[in-house]
Amino acid sequence: MPPNDEAHMFGRELYLRWTALWNMDLDLASDILAPQLVLRYAQPGTEAMDHATVPVDLVNIVRNWHDKRRNIRFSAVGEAVVDLFADAQSFTGLVAQPYEVSFEIAGSGRVSCGGTDTLRVVRGRISEVWSVSSGPQGRCFYRDVMP
């Protein structure tokens, strides 16, 4: 798929908006999330998220993450893999991209870790997320992009 076609651009932009949601742009939830969600998170040492089934649940999780992790910051890194097709209203398919997250741990300083989110998109909205992370003790894939 050429990286400049409409579906690829939509997928890249949707992933950036997903990242912005995790950076506390919580108003995006109503624009980018489907009314029903499935979250599948494999992240060591973190809270369970599988109970979140509607956008407000995810918004509360994001708030909680920011409350518990000082100066947390998410960044999309690397290239997005976009497998979307046009449907009657927008695009449907999958978008995957690596991310980095960094935050401060008292007594340890700033830590960074990496992961990959795969977003299932139905009619232009995120309906399911598969997220795999290394956790705070794990390795970052793109260390040169984080502070």
Side-chain angles (χ1 to χ4, degrees):
M1 174 179 306
N4 61 350
D5 73 9
E6 188 177 353
H8 193 271
M9 290 188 311
F10 178 87
R12 285 187 1 213
E13 178 61 27
L14 182 63
Y15 194 94
L16 291 175
R17 295 175 81 200
W18 167 251
T19 303
L21 171 68
W22 278 92
N23 285 320
M24 293 295 286
D25 193 347
L26 301 177
D27 290 339
L28 286 172
S30 61
D31 294 337
I32 67 171
L33 300 177
Q36 294 294 309
L37 298 171
V38 175
L39 301 178
R40 303 176 193 278
Y41 279 69
Q43 299 175 340
T46 192
E47 302 85 354
M49 295 186 208
D50 300 348
H51 66 280
T53 59
V54 294
V56 70
D57 293 342
L58 182 59
V59 165
N60 290 332
I61 288 171
V62 171
R63 279 192 184 112
N64 185 46
W65 269 60
H66 281 264
D67 289 345
K68 289 184 174 184
R69 293 162 181 89
R70 186 178 156 124
N71 295 320
I72 190 168
R73 180 78 182 147
F74 293 85
S75 299
V77 294
E79 247 340 282
V81 176
V82 178
D83 186 15
L84 295 173
F85 63 89
D87 60 26
Q89 299 173 352
S90 183
F91 293 97
T92 293
L94 300 170
V95 178
Q97 186 164 354
Y99 67 85
E100 295 287 338
V101 59
S102 66
F103 54 93
E104 294 175 17
I105 295 179
S108 298
R110 193 147 191 89
V111 296
S112 297
C113 57
T116 300
D117 283 348
T118 300
L119 313 176
R120 181 178 307 281
V121 180
V122 177
R123 290 183 294 282
R125 293 185 178 237
I126 299 166
S127 63
E128 184 174 4
V129 179
W130 290 76
S131 186
V132 179
S133 169
S134 62
Q137 285 71 38
R139 162 177 142 12
C140 289
F141 298 107
Y142 299 92
R143 282 208 188 275
D144 59 325
V145 299
M146 294 301 293

